[in-house]
Amino acid sequence: MTRMSQAEHKAQGPQSIRCFVITVSDSRTEETDRSGAAIIDLLNSYGHIVAGRTIVRDEAVLVRDTVERQLANPDVQVVITTGGTGITSRDSTYEAVSALLQKRLDGFGELFRMLSYEEIGSAAMMSRACAGLASGKIVVSLPGSESAVRLAMGRLLIPELGHLVQQGSL
């Protein structure tokens, strides 16, 4: 049996992924949601499909319910949240999402914080960005900062999106 190279292995993943974007915020609107817009722009520019977008208040029950609806949606392969990953009393995305994950991708958060440290220094430790598998779908929680979103999407998520979906569906 011949072993595949990493590039061959990744090439077996789907090229176009259907994603749902959830912005978690008490103050943003569709007009002011630059982080959600950045995710959508990046997904579109790499040939992925945005199956939908919503903004929910930063309340764990609302975040969890919104993610669960998309996990049940057959038209969605990946759920991406932005916002609510910090440590303030209002930040609830991490608790809501991590409770749903059946398999965690600890490396995602570790790599994100490492890359973020290179840009913002020790404040990177306050990010609770995370990712994993829930109901056979990839779920990723990103910070609410547009620059953090662009960093995570460009350096981590976009390059692996098809591979993540392919592996998560096995």
Side-chain angles (χ1 to χ4, degrees):
M1 178 153 99
T2 308
R3 282 185 62 128
M4 282 189 277
S5 71
Q6 179 184 357
E8 291 169 323
H9 188 68
K10 282 175 71 168
Q12 291 185 345
Q15 300 302 305
S16 182
I17 308 299
R18 295 179 315 276
C19 303
F20 194 92
V21 179
I22 302 168
T23 297
V24 180
S25 175
D26 292 335
S27 61
R28 294 197 181 150
T29 65
E30 197 163 316
E31 295 77 32
T32 62
D33 178 21
R34 293 183 8 204
S35 297
I39 293 169
I40 290 166
D41 290 344
L42 287 163
L43 289 169
N44 286 333
S45 69
Y46 283 91
H48 300 296
I49 299 159
V50 177
R53 169 190 194 179
T54 193
I55 299 174
V56 298
R57 287 177 27 125
D58 199 342
E59 294 181 16
V61 171
L62 295 175
V63 175
R64 185 191 68 233
D65 290 350
T66 304
V67 172
E68 284 180 325
R69 275 194 303 281
Q70 297 315 311
L71 292 174
N73 183 344
D75 292 330
V76 172
Q77 296 169 287
V78 174
V79 177
I80 303 171
T81 72
T82 176
T85 62
I87 61 170
T88 74
S89 62
R90 290 294 301 152
D91 290 321
S92 66
T93 302
Y94 178 83
E95 286 75 20
V97 169
S98 66
L100 297 171
L101 298 178
Q102 294 149 334
K103 292 192 177 189
R104 297 182 195 306
L105 293 170
D106 294 329
F108 174 82
E110 293 163 358
L111 286 169
F112 173 75
R113 283 180 285 280
M114 179 197 73
L115 293 169
S116 193
Y117 178 80
E118 293 171 359
E119 291 192 3
I120 65 169
S122 59
M125 77 172 85
M126 290 188 276
S127 171
R128 297 185 303 151
C130 66
L133 193 66
S135 301
K137 297 181 183 187
I138 301 299
V139 181
V140 181
S141 290
L142 305 177
S145 151
E146 182 183 356
S147 61
V149 160
R150 289 187 181 283
L151 174 69
M153 293 293 293
R155 299 280 304 273
L156 299 172
L157 196 53
I158 295 288
E160 290 296 323
L161 202 52
H163 192 206
L164 284 165
V165 169
Q166 185 258 349
Q167 289 292 296
S169 66
L170 296 178

